[in-house]
Amino acid sequence: MSHEVRTPLNAILGYAEILSEDLRERGVEDLVADLDKISRAARQQLSLVNEALDHSKLEAGGAELHLTEFDAGRLVREAAETAWPLMRRGHNRLATSGLETLGTAFTDEGKLRQVLLNLLSNASRFTEDGSSRSRPRARTACSRSA
C-alpha cells in the first residue's frame, strides 16, 4: 500500500520542482513561493505516510529514530506555513517570532515536525476567531554527545 500512496506524492513533488525551475527562469517569483508551499505540503503528506509505516514498525517492535542536527527555527516556520491554511479556515491568527533564537536541535526532525503539525492542527480545529503564537522564552542549547 505504501507504494500506491508514495508514487503520486513523489510525482507531485517532481512536477512542482519542474514548474518551480521554469517559473524561476521566467522571473515569476511570486508563483514560485506558492509552489514551494505546495511542495512542503506534499512532503508533509509523504511524511505522514512514512509515520504511519513507522507506527506499524513500532507496534511490531522495529521503530527507529533518525537523529540529525537541524535549524529549529526553520522547522517551526515551515510547520507554521503548512498549518496556516488550517488556521485561516477557522478565522484564526498564527504568528511566530523569535525563531532565530532557537538555534539548532538534534533529534528526529520528521517526528518533531509531525508533533508540531499535530499541535497546530488541533489548535486550529478547536479554536475559532482565536490566535496561536510561537515566541521562545529562553534559548535552549541542544548538543550531541559523541
Side-chain angles (χ1 to χ4, degrees):
M1 178 189 124
S2 66
H3 177 74
E4 286 80 8
V5 177
R6 288 181 193 186
T7 300
L9 288 172
N10 284 321
I12 291 168
L13 287 167
Y15 284 122
E17 184 178 323
I18 291 168
L19 284 172
S20 182
E21 289 172 7
D22 288 347
L23 290 172
R24 275 193 179 92
E25 288 175 5
R26 295 178 188 181
V28 190
E29 290 298 321
D30 57 329
L31 293 178
V32 172
D34 289 334
L35 277 171
D36 288 344
K37 290 175 186 173
I38 291 169
S39 293
R40 272 194 300 278
R43 280 192 302 275
Q44 176 56 34
Q45 188 65 41
L46 192 55
S47 178
L48 287 171
V49 170
N50 291 331
E51 290 295 321
L53 294 173
D54 284 350
H55 185 70
S56 296
K57 289 179 189 176
L58 180 62
E59 288 180 351
E64 295 179 15
L65 289 176
H66 303 285
L67 303 177
T68 59
E69 190 170 326
F70 57 91
D71 181 334
R74 176 192 50 79
L75 178 70
V76 172
R77 186 174 28 265
E78 288 175 358
E81 288 173 358
T82 300
W84 182 77
L86 297 171
M87 293 293 212
R88 194 175 103 177
R89 190 175 349 168
H91 307 286
N92 294 308
R93 292 167 304 284
L94 176 60
T96 58
S97 64
L99 299 181
E100 64 281 351
T101 65
L102 288 177
T104 60
F106 184 73
T107 189
D108 188 312
E109 185 176 0
K111 287 181 177 39
L112 181 56
R113 177 181 290 110
Q114 189 57 48
V115 167
L116 290 172
L117 287 170
N118 286 346
L119 287 170
L120 290 169
S121 174
N122 286 341
S124 69
R125 190 174 332 150
F126 299 110
T127 306
E128 191 160 322
D129 294 317
S131 64
S132 294
R133 185 172 66 166
S134 164
R135 189 174 72 207
R137 296 179 192 260
R139 184 178 177 133
T140 304
C142 298
S143 62
R144 164 173 51 178
S145 42

